[in-house]
Amino acid sequence: MSLNLNKDKLDTILANFWIKGTLLHFSPLGQGHIHDTYLVEVEEANEIKKYTLQQLNTRVFQQPELMMANWVKVTHHLSHKLMKLEGEKAIRQCLRPVSTLTGQYYYRSSSGEYFRIYYYIDNCQTIETVSTPDQAFEAGRAFGLFQKLVADLPASEMHETIPYFHHTPYRFKRFLQALDQASVEKKTKAADVISLAFQFQPLISLVVDGLDSGCLPLRVTHNDTKINNVLFDIETGQGLCVIDLDTTMPGSSLYDFGDLVRTATCPAAEDETDLSLVVMDIDLFRAVADGYLSQTADLLTSSEKELLIQAGLLLTYTIGLRFLTDYLEGNLYFKTKYPDHNLNRAKAQFKLLESMQAQQREMRRVINDLLKSFD
Ligand code: GN1
Ligand code: MG
């Protein structure tokens, strides 16, 4: 999906929401791989008001109404709870949707495009890569708090917006299908990473087996806990608000912790091509686990705690498989900037996975120490 908004189109969209005033300015926002996101500035009664506008990717979210029903439910649940806990401060700690004139939270254009708007949270930034343990801690704390706040939301009330999203056996099957159809040229270029995809196959059923047997609890989870889905307060550095709530649906806490470990323990970018830089930093691992467990240690069951280390490997493997599959299929899913972008992302994920595997013993020590400290 390309960024294709112009002023006339935006005026029409805004006219459908409870927003009065004149459009001053709009610009692309963030680095998400799925939706198109903009910052929109409007002059209302001599004041500049800022909003976040998103055009939803309906190729990825094929039932946008169901996705929006989840999104509204979870944004309301979070704001209600945070208001109670934090009072006025909660305004900057959760997404606050703007309603349309007909009382919905999305607008469908005459050509079938879906848009939503929420209040922009000022003086915040997103970060693509982590550079200090404090940032890793704050990301862990923010997603841990999210987990805690949605713990009383019954999983049965949430729609499954993307079926089999983190189902690694399904992702592996899709990879095999893509491999079967791919050109010899692509398979040759990706040979190393394809071989790693087979090598790490034993990880596949780790969490799904536990969920199927009832050994691991099915919870409402965020499912996209990468570091750039947290807004950091520019002044205090606090992990203020969790964003990108579209994949919030039934899942495992291990998916959330695992994707945090994938994105908050490596100082290099997700698409770094100098693979010598792609390593898991054990100090960042300690910090992210500390932040996450500071909120969830009381909540997690012993079987979840037992798998915290493997979770990072599993999610890095699963997302790596998805990038590789998308490369083999011709870049149909993730936004890319150049033809081999998904291949480079996949290579970086598998390099990170190898680095995690080599440090499993240290990770175990860190988790055991932390669990003891929260006992
Ligand atoms: C996508 O939307 P964004 O960029 O936060 C993707 C995640 C992947 C991530 C990889 C709905 O997340 O599952 O882990 O890219 N979201 C969806 O960077 O597929
Ligand atoms: Mg995002």
Side-chain angles (χ1 to χ4, degrees):
M1 198 191 287
S2 60
L3 294 172
N4 60 0
L5 202 59
N6 59 42
K7 187 178 173 308
D8 286 348
K9 197 165 162 185
L10 183 51
D11 275 331
T12 311
I13 298 164
L14 293 180
N16 282 279
F17 284 86
W18 274 111
I19 292 177
K20 300 189 196 79
T22 349
L23 172 64
L24 286 179
H25 180 73
F26 67 99
S27 51
L29 195 65
Q31 302 288 330
H33 297 335
I34 308 294
H35 302 311
D36 288 351
T37 306
Y38 304 86
L39 165 63
V40 175
E41 295 178 56
V42 171
E43 188 174 340
E44 285 177 51
N46 290 329
E47 245 188 89
I48 296 177
K49 293 264 173 71
K50 294 183 183 177
Y51 298 96
T52 303
L53 166 78
Q54 289 190 300
Q55 178 174 350
L56 307 182
N57 183 328
T58 50
R59 200 171 23 79
V60 167
F61 291 97
Q62 296 187 356
Q63 293 183 287
E65 286 85 0
L66 292 191
M67 183 264 259
M68 283 305 294
N70 277 4
W71 188 81
V72 169
K73 181 172 283 217
V74 75
T75 51
H76 284 164
H77 184 84
L78 290 172
S79 60
H80 181 71
K81 290 197 124 180
L82 284 165
M83 284 292 176
K84 272 196 184 161
L85 282 174
E86 303 273 346
E88 276 298 289
K89 278 199 285 177
I91 286 182
R92 297 184 70 232
Q93 297 178 0
C94 52
L95 301 184
R96 292 181 304 125
V98 178
S99 142
T100 64
L101 300 182
T102 56
Q104 285 174 313
Y105 287 102
Y106 63 85
Y107 159 68
R108 186 178 185 275
S109 74
S110 51
S111 48
E113 299 159 321
Y114 285 75
F115 299 90
R116 73 174 168 218
I117 296 183
Y118 50 90
Y119 291 92
Y120 179 78
I121 304 175
D122 235 329
N123 299 317
C124 280
Q125 61 179 356
T126 51
I127 56 175
E128 291 304 311
T129 53
V130 59
S131 40
T132 65
D134 280 351
Q135 290 174 336
F137 178 90
E138 281 301 314
R141 198 189 51 75
F143 280 116
L145 176 62
F146 176 92
Q147 180 72 88
K148 192 160 77 176
L149 294 175
V150 298
D152 59 343
L153 207 54
S156 59
E157 283 185 17
M158 302 295 285
H159 306 287
E160 195 176 9
T161 49
I162 302 182
Y164 298 108
F165 192 55
H166 283 313
H167 195 284
T168 317
Y170 167 79
R171 294 296 183 187
F172 190 74
K173 200 169 113 202
R174 291 276 293 100
F175 156 68
L176 292 180
Q177 284 164 351
L179 194 59
D180 199 39
Q181 304 288 317
S183 67
V184 174
E185 192 202 337
K186 278 192 181 161
K187 284 195 270 201
T188 311
K189 257 177 139 172
D192 288 355
V193 71
I194 291 171
S195 127
L196 286 167
F198 283 103
Q199 197 178 308
F200 280 95
Q201 224 176 312
L203 280 174
I204 288 181
S205 51
L206 203 72
V207 170
V208 286
D209 278 359
L211 289 173
D212 287 349
S213 69
C215 192
L216 291 170
L218 188 70
R219 300 179 182 278
V220 172
T221 48
H222 183 284
N223 296 307
D224 189 8
T225 54
K226 66 178 182 183
I227 189 120
N228 72 4
N229 284 331
V230 179
L231 298 182
F232 287 86
D233 187 305
I234 290 177
E235 256 169 54
T236 64
Q238 188 193 348
L240 201 61
C241 178
V242 164
I243 59 171
D244 233 346
L245 308 177
D246 304 314
T247 46
T248 305
M249 58 180 159
S252 166
S253 61
L254 295 162
Y255 297 148
D256 283 4
F257 183 67
D259 208 36
L260 257 171
V261 173
R262 177 180 77 87
T263 60
T265 66
C266 172
E270 189 178 60
D271 56 359
E272 177 60 64
T273 50
D274 179 352
L275 294 182
S276 70
L277 302 175
V278 182
V279 284
M280 189 195 77
D281 178 323
I282 194 74
D283 293 330
L284 294 175
F285 177 76
R286 183 179 299 105
V288 78
D290 191 6
Y292 183 76
L293 288 171
S294 72
Q295 302 301 309
T296 58
D298 293 345
L299 185 86
L300 300 180
T301 64
S302 53
S303 38
E304 289 176 297
K305 287 175 181 162
E306 192 51 45
L307 288 176
L308 285 170
I309 288 148
Q310 296 281 298
L313 283 84
L314 177 69
L315 265 286
T316 307
Y317 178 67
T318 310
I319 309 297
L321 274 182
R322 289 175 60 198
F323 287 142
L324 179 57
T325 304
D326 203 25
Y327 166 73
L328 295 170
E329 287 184 336
N331 306 324
L332 303 171
Y333 187 92
F334 296 104
K335 288 183 188 173
T336 48
K337 294 197 172 126
Y338 54 92
D340 287 352
H341 203 168
N342 274 316
L343 176 60
N344 288 339
R345 287 169 175 153
K347 284 183 180 171
Q349 300 316 295
F350 279 95
K351 173 67 204 310
L352 181 59
L353 178 54
E354 288 183 298
S355 169
M356 288 175 182
Q357 192 189 35
Q359 297 182 75
Q360 280 192 86
R361 198 177 290 172
E362 289 85 341
M363 289 163 97
R364 166 69 57 206
R365 208 171 300 135
V366 166
I367 291 290
N368 286 347
D369 286 352
L370 286 171
L371 287 175
K372 249 186 251 155
S373 75
F374 289 116
D375 227 3

